């Protein structure tokens, strides 16, 4: 490994966006090192392959470079280290301080400028959507939070999402958001940054999204934060029924259901749709069972519920009604929706970030998203019970809050023109189980102290 790769081997696994937590890192290889903007050698887009257990995943690192010893205190928190590098034109090696360039507003300002110009470098291309103008000269701040990627907010006007885990091809977030441009339920897209990435199977160079620029919704409050506030309010006075509590969320849940149905309708209009044949249905159920099998291998605590989960997938495989499918959100939960002064807006159409893009682009039932959001109400109700001194006493209140909001969301979804979730229990149950299995793996890898949440839900669902 080069000195830079050695540094990255320590730094990458500590990042929130690193998907391979829990497994040792065997190899780190810088596959590509693009100078993003010709004439600006101190900003590079690295494609770094991280090998774990014989499989390599690729990540994007936006690398800032400074002369050794010149990284200011304002960027110390973003430091990756100091190393020898062979820089083009230097005729040998030089020592540089290297850091996470996403934290350097001088560098990220250049990205915004190039997006505004719709420019093409040699390897990295900047694209602006037709008919939009982008303001330059804004300063960025990195959003903090539980994110799979890294988002930069430019003076509360734009948000630039740097995709961290890279798969060859255009990111579904860009593809879907662009298809829904003009909808009041999505943040307006402005442009994107792309470069070619080799497809590991075919060797072909495929245009791949590195980042996406969108309107920043200033008045937005995260759905998860709103729901959590409602739950906290109720747990403060558990003798009150959720419907009578001051912070009741059911009205919002119902409106969210209707907004979700509207987005599903627009997605079905803008992008392909289909109806699944019995064979395709069985294949989808088989994929669910396969995910369960892999999750049980990694998380023992899931094993006691495996047969109940499999039975739900088998019932789904035997559905005797045709299943309409279309593009969906794919990783739908309360953290993916924001309440603005104009209503609910849906974000992050990337799908499950750990799944290959081709799989995420597959058509599915919109009930998959409904199931995702229903799971999220369960999460919102249960997560404040972790470590709560009165957890056993509050369990019934948690169930009542989740049930009330699940019902309200489903009513809103049907009222907003979506298929009535109440009338499709077999499909809904299979998708809820599948999502909960995904969450078991997600929590085991990223937030082990939250693993109880999906496990307890599975125990209750399967009970
Ligand atoms: N357009 C936007 N306007 C305002 N806030 C946003 C916008 N896009 C994202 N956010 C905030 O950033 C958080 C993370 O964004 P998201 O797209 O879900 O990133 P990731 O793919 O990394 O999970 C969201 O939960 C939301 O709070
Ligand atoms: O938003 P991301 O695309 O990064 O999604 C991933 O992280 C989510 C956690 O932030 C995770 O969602 C799970 O936790 C949420 C609470 O934090 C909860 O509302 C969701 O229902 C639950 O699935 C998501 O699964 C993962 O893909």
């Amino acid at each position: 490994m080069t000195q830079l790769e050695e540094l990255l081997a320590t730094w990458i696994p500590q990042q929130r966006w690193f998907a391979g937590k829990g497994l040792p890192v065997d190899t780190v290889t810088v596959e590509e090192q693009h100078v993003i903007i010709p004439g600006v050698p101190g900003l590079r887009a690295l494609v770094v392959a991280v090998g774990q257990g014989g499989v390599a995943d690729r990540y994007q690192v936006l690398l800032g470079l400074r002369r050794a010893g010149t990284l200011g205190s304002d960027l110390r928190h973003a430091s990756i280290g100091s190393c020898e590098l062979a820089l083009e034109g230097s005729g040998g090696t030089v020592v540089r301080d290297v850091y996470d360039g996403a934290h350097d507003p001088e560098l990220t300002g250049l990205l915004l400028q190039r997006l505004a110009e719709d420019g093409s470098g040699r390897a990295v291309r900047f694209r602006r959507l037709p008919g939009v103008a982008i303001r330059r000269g804004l300063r960025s701040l990195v959003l903090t939070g539980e994110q799979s990627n890294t988002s930069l907010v430019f003076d509360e006007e734009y948000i630039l999402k740097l995709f961290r885990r890279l798969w060859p091809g255009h990111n579904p977030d860009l593809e879907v958001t662009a298809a829904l441009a003009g909808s009041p339920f999505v943040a307006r897209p402005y442009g994107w940054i792309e470069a070619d990435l080799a497809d590991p199977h075919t060797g072909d160079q495929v245009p791949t999204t590195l980042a996406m620029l969108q309107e920043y919704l200033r008045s937005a409050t995260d759905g998860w934060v709103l729901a959590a506030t409602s739950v906290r309010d109720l747990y403060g006075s558990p003798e009150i029924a959720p419907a009578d509590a001051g912070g009741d969320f059911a009205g919002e849940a119902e409106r969210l259901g209707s907004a979700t149905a509207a987005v599903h309708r627009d997605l079905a209009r803008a992008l392909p749709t289909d109806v699944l044949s019995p064979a395709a249905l069985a294949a989808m159920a088989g994929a669910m069972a396969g995910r369960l099998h892999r999750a049980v291998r990694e998380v023992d605590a899931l094993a006691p519920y495996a047969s109940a989960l499999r039975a739900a997938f088998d019932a789904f495989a035997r559905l005797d009604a045709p299943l309409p499918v279309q593009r969906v959100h794919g990783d739908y939960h309360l953290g993916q929706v924001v309440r603005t002064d104009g209503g609910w807006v849906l974000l992050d159409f990337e799908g499950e970030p750990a799944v290959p893009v081709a799989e995420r682009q597959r058509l599915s039932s919109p009930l998959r998203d409904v199931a995702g959001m229903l799971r999220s109400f369960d999460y919102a109700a249960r997560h404040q019970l972790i470590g709560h001194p009165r957890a056993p006493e509050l369990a019934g209140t948690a169930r009542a809050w989740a049930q009330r909001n699940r019902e309200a969301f489903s009513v809103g979804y049907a009222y907003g023109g979506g298929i009535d979730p109440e009338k499709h229990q077999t499909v809904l149950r299979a998708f809820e189980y599948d999502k909960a299995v995904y969450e078991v793996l997600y929590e085991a890898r990223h937030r082990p102290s939250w693993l109880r949440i999906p496990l307890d839900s599975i125990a209750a669902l399967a009970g």
Side-chain angles (χ1 to χ4, degrees), residues 136-362:
R136 311 150 200 236
L138 308 183
R139 275 182 83 77
S140 70
L141 272 178
V142 177
L143 266 193
T144 51
E146 292 282 301
Q147 272 196 264
S148 306
N149 298 291
T150 300
S151 294
L152 313 177
V153 177
F154 285 89
D155 283 345
E156 298 210 334
E157 190 152 341
Y158 305 118
I159 182 163
L160 180 72
K161 176 147 84 170
L162 293 177
F163 294 108
R164 291 298 193 166
R165 182 140 178 217
L166 296 180
W167 306 86
H170 272 303
N171 192 290
D173 201 4
L174 171 64
E175 195 190 358
V176 171
T177 311
L180 294 179
S183 157
F185 303 107
V186 298
R188 184 177 184 190
Y190 286 95
W192 73 96
I193 306 175
E194 64 174 38
D196 291 340
L197 188 70
D199 184 316
H201 304 298
T202 62
D204 294 346
Q205 292 290 325
V206 183
T208 297
T209 320
L210 300 181
M212 176 173 83
L213 187 75
Q214 261 186 311
E215 158 193 25
Y216 180 74
L217 303 160
R218 287 161 212 240
S219 70
T221 312
D222 202 281
W224 172 258
V225 172
L226 286 175
T229 308
S230 161
V231 172
R232 196 167 302 116
D233 194 56
L234 183 64
Y235 290 178
S237 354
E239 65 289 350
I240 297 175
D244 302 324
D248 183 29
F249 189 71
E252 288 297 358
E254 189 174 330
R255 282 186 282 278
L256 178 59
S258 295
T260 307
V263 169
H264 281 155
R265 180 202 58 216
D266 292 348
L267 279 172
R269 282 184 189 151
L271 295 165
T273 59
D274 202 353
V275 176
L276 285 193
S277 66
L281 203 61
M284 199 182 256
M288 292 174 176
R291 284 191 282 272
L292 169 64
H293 180 70
R294 286 189 292 279
V296 169
R297 272 203 318 229
E298 200 171 316
V299 183
D300 295 342
L302 193 55
Y305 312 108
S307 60
L309 296 169
R310 261 193 301 271
F313 301 149
D314 287 347
F316 176 77
R318 290 194 306 271
L319 270 188
D320 51 11
L323 188 70
V325 288
Q326 59 166 92
R327 289 298 290 267
V328 297
H329 183 284
D331 187 19
Y332 201 43
H333 58 81
L334 284 161
Q336 311 281 38
V337 292
V338 287
R339 180 71 166 89
T340 69
D341 45 18
W344 285 101
V345 172
L346 279 58
L347 301 169
D348 195 5
F349 289 83
E350 189 185 14
E352 289 170 356
V355 173
V357 164
E359 227 172 282
R360 291 190 245 152
Q361 286 167 324
R362 246 178 237 151

